[in-house]
Amino acid sequence: MARTSLTVADLVAWTQRFRDLMVEHRAALTELDSAIGDADHGSNMARGMQSAVEKLEQTAPETVGAWGKSVGMTLVSSVGGASGPLYGTFFLRFGASGGDATELDAAALGAALRAGLEGVLARGKAEPGDKTMIDALGPALDAFDAAVDQGLEAAIAAARDAAAAGRDATEPLQARKGRASYLGERSIGHVDPGATSTAYLFDALATATGSAA
Amino acid sequence: MKKLINDPDGVVRDALVGIEVAHPDLRVDHENRIIYRREPTRPGKVALISGGGSGHEPLHGGYVGFGMLDAACAGEVFTSPTPDQMVEATKTADSGAGVLHIVKNYTGDVMNFEMAAELAESETGVRVASVVTDDDVAVQDSLYTAGRRGVGVTVLLEKIVGAAAEEGRDLDTLAELATRVNASGRSMGMALTSCIVPAAGKPTFDLPENEMEIGIGIHGEPGRHRVPLAGAREIAEQLVEPILADHDFTGAPAIVLLNGMGGSPLLELYLMYGEVQRILEASGVTVARSLVGNYITSLEMAGCSVTLLRADDELLGLWDAPVATPGLRWGV
């Protein structure tokens, strides 16, 4: 039977899976970043997610809020750069949206993801089309909402596919935020590293929750 | 990659050990990666704090000391430090007179210092003011970018505002002075070779033997354009002209910084400085003070940057005031 909600243990599994993907693709992400940024996205995200997982293993969170705060604060205080505050804010706002809940149904997950997106928008001041993680995150949430009537797993799978498509769609864009923006037209033709790690974030959510179909 | 390191992931940690033992006037909080003056901030003196990615030495840790910074937070190589480092530095360095954050305009630095200022004020009640430097004329259309980068003016600003802080000026006055210095300065840089970030282990960008990159920043991010390699005289023109086109430097004394990016010998930097000063004089700019050397670097990148600051008697007086830091030292 298809699942209808995520537990805190599922969120922890999501964090671990995302860590695994960041470690596995560390060199490739850094390679993308060296083309248009400063060659540190893979190493920073791998280091930050490793710290976040260690923190969860030391102190197991009991609520969605505690999980989000733990992961978010660890990323903010261990990643640095732009990725630290952006991903950190995403998890902090996600957690704050879930609050004392111990499970999220599809609607509550959609609301928490949306709160995370709004945090990233406020912190980074980027808009769709700027060639940033927003270009994967925004379409993922729109797809999630559109598929939510089909159930939790279908919505997560739709979000994963849309995040990957959003990532691919950053290739022809000209960067307008972050260090890539200094390249101007020369940023065209490279996939954005932040959108790529965000696509992995939804890939991790889909596999960790068995929504991979 | 051939580097003087033990472990690519431990470069910053290991360098902080060396900085502390090399400079008895400094102390290092190794856990939080903060460099402080050995003596605590004098009561009534506003504390100046900066920080940023490592790999730009002597910026910023090398400018901690009398007449400049009270503390500097070291991030990973080319990566902004984190808000908790900055909050800790802010709390520790504050003497009650408040803290000025000096931030280079890079997305990560700005976001992390913003979060730190919010946290420090709400958690501890320390008064924090911030100045963001953005002097790089290579970034042309700031409407469609993250804005001009903060580069060489950061060094001049830390010196001038640091001297004013030693005089006992209050936080608001120092923040205004810092804003004025930033608005009066412009920079432009160029690279002959790429740097190598230790964790990446290979050059950040490929630059053919017969080409150079004009308008680079300090992280190996490419510049305004790539052009055929030219002689020093022509390179000097390509650096100075965009600066003079962007801001009027005539009719006032100027402070000039000819900065090495880390991989060019002083022989070449002095040669470049001679070319730069010749162009400035021919353009009607009066050079009042000059500084030549490696002051804000990009690991081992070969190349240089030029920074001009439109000064006045007050700024020159603050520039000449005594300073005692690993990176700048005179009058003491």
Side-chain angles (χ1 to χ4, degrees):
Chain A
M1 200 176 83
R3 62 162 69 217
T4 56
S5 68
L6 299 187
T7 63
V8 176
D10 292 324
L11 298 178
V12 171
W14 176 20
T15 320
Q16 289 165 332
R17 179 65 191 147
F18 186 42
R19 183 271 317 268
D20 294 345
L21 288 172
M22 290 297 96
V23 170
E24 187 183 335
H25 298 285
R26 174 185 158 131
L29 282 171
T30 291
E31 186 75 32
L32 288 175
D33 198 24
S34 70
I36 59 171
D38 52 356
D40 64 5
H41 190 56
S43 47
N44 286 347
M45 287 302 294
R47 187 181 65 243
M49 288 310 301
Q50 183 59 37
S51 301
V53 168
E54 284 168 13
K55 188 76 181 293
L56 291 175
E57 285 166 355
Q58 279 163 20
T59 313
E62 290 179 2
T63 64
V64 175
W67 168 82
K69 190 171 182 191
S70 175
V71 174
M73 285 310 294
T74 307
L75 290 177
V76 166
S77 63
S78 65
V79 176
S83 312
L86 291 172
Y87 273 102
T89 300
F90 174 82
F91 285 105
L92 285 169
R93 296 286 183 93
F94 183 114
S97 171
D100 291 335
T102 55
E103 288 196 34
L104 296 173
D105 63 16
L109 176 60
L113 289 167
R114 188 65 62 181
L117 168 67
E118 278 161 16
V120 174
L121 288 169
R123 183 60 66 195
K125 302 177 182 74
E127 293 172 14
D130 282 350
K131 198 176 179 100
T132 71
M133 64 187 287
I134 294 295
D135 293 320
L137 196 47
L141 298 206
D142 292 344
F144 184 96
D145 291 346
V148 78
D149 291 344
Q150 298 162 43
L152 183 66
E153 291 183 6
I156 290 173
R160 176 205 54 203
D161 294 345
R167 169 201 65 207
D168 295 343
T170 62
E171 185 168 346
L173 297 176
Q174 177 171 336
R176 290 195 294 251
K177 288 286 168 189
R179 284 183 197 162
S181 69
Y182 301 127
L183 269 172
E185 289 180 357
R186 284 197 282 171
S187 63
I188 294 169
H190 299 278
V191 173
D192 181 63
T196 305
S197 56
T198 297
Y200 285 127
L201 180 69
F202 284 91
D203 189 4
L205 181 62
T207 48
T209 58
S211 314
Chain B
M1 175 178 66
K2 289 164 97 175
K3 282 182 182 285
L4 303 171
I5 61 176
N6 298 314
D7 156 23
D9 292 326
V11 171
V12 176
R13 176 195 65 215
D14 295 353
L16 286 170
V17 170
I19 287 170
E20 183 168 47
V21 294
H23 301 287
D25 289 347
L26 303 181
R27 75 181 173 85
V28 174
D29 170 353
H30 292 281
E31 190 191 338
N32 292 300
R33 300 189 169 187
I34 304 166
I35 301 169
Y36 293 102
R37 299 189 195 185
R38 174 69 62 184
E39 300 292 323
T41 310
R42 195 174 70 237
K45 181 193 170 300
V46 171
L48 264 53
I49 292 181
S50 194
S54 295
H56 307 307
E57 291 68 25
L59 195 80
H60 291 278
Y63 299 131
V64 175
F66 180 81
M68 288 184 84
L69 301 175
D70 294 271
C73 304
E76 283 296 321
V77 172
F78 291 178
T79 299
S80 162
T82 58
D84 52 325
Q85 287 176 275
M86 297 160 185
V87 169
E88 176 63 27
T90 300
K91 281 194 293 194
T92 305
D94 179 44
S95 75
V99 178
L100 180 65
H101 286 174
I102 299 168
V103 187
K104 298 186 300 304
N105 189 32
Y106 278 97
T107 308
D109 293 77
V110 171
M111 278 193 262
N112 283 287
F113 267 105
E114 260 176 24
M115 292 185 90
E118 286 167 20
L119 288 168
E121 290 194 314
S122 66
E123 282 176 12
T124 66
V126 177
R127 271 199 72 208
V128 177
S130 300
V131 60
V132 177
T133 60
D134 58 351
D135 52 304
D136 188 355
V137 300
V139 180
Q140 285 172 296
D141 196 345
S142 56
L143 279 178
Y144 299 104
T145 67
R148 288 183 167 182
R149 297 173 286 222
V151 284
V153 153
T154 316
V155 179
L156 308 187
L157 187 150
E158 288 174 1
K159 168 66 188 85
I160 288 168
V161 180
E166 297 295 347
E167 288 180 354
R169 298 192 199 182
D170 66 32
L171 181 59
D172 292 337
T173 311
L174 292 175
E176 274 172 38
L177 175 66
T179 303
R180 182 157 71 89
V181 170
N182 178 56
S184 307
R186 298 289 187 278
S187 298
M188 181 83 176
M190 62 81 58
L192 296 168
T193 64
S194 172
C195 49
I196 300 174
V197 177
K202 58 192 174 100
T204 302
F205 56 91
D206 296 316
L207 195 48
E209 195 60 25
N210 57 351
E211 290 183 337
M212 60 183 178
E213 188 85 28
I214 299 287
I216 44 109
I218 53 173
H219 304 95
E221 71 271 39
R224 220 187 232 200
H225 45 231
R226 186 166 285 192
V227 296
L229 188 62
R233 185 161 299 172
E234 195 180 313
I235 293 172
E237 282 167 8
Q238 293 194 38
L239 295 180
V240 173
E241 276 170 9
I243 292 175
L244 298 184
D246 197 80
H247 195 69
D248 182 9
F249 286 93
T250 58
I255 301 174
V256 183
L257 166 62
L258 190 291
N259 172 63
M261 305 306 299
S264 289
L266 277 171
L267 180 75
E268 294 171 29
L269 299 183
Y270 277 113
L271 188 157
M272 282 299 299
Y273 183 72
E275 298 294 346
V276 165
Q277 174 140 347
R278 190 182 50 75
I279 297 169
L280 291 175
E281 284 174 355
S283 308
V285 178
T286 308
V287 178
R289 302 289 186 275
S290 60
L291 194 60
V292 179
N294 295 300
Y295 292 99
I296 169 169
T297 60
S298 183
L299 296 171
E300 74 278 52
M301 179 185 275
C304 69
S305 63
V306 175
T307 299
L308 255 66
L309 179 68
R310 185 184 174 93
D312 55 24
D313 288 345
E314 184 197 11
L315 298 191
L316 288 182
L318 292 166
W319 178 255
D320 292 339
V323 58
T325 70
L328 280 188
R329 175 179 291 265
W330 59 69
V332 288

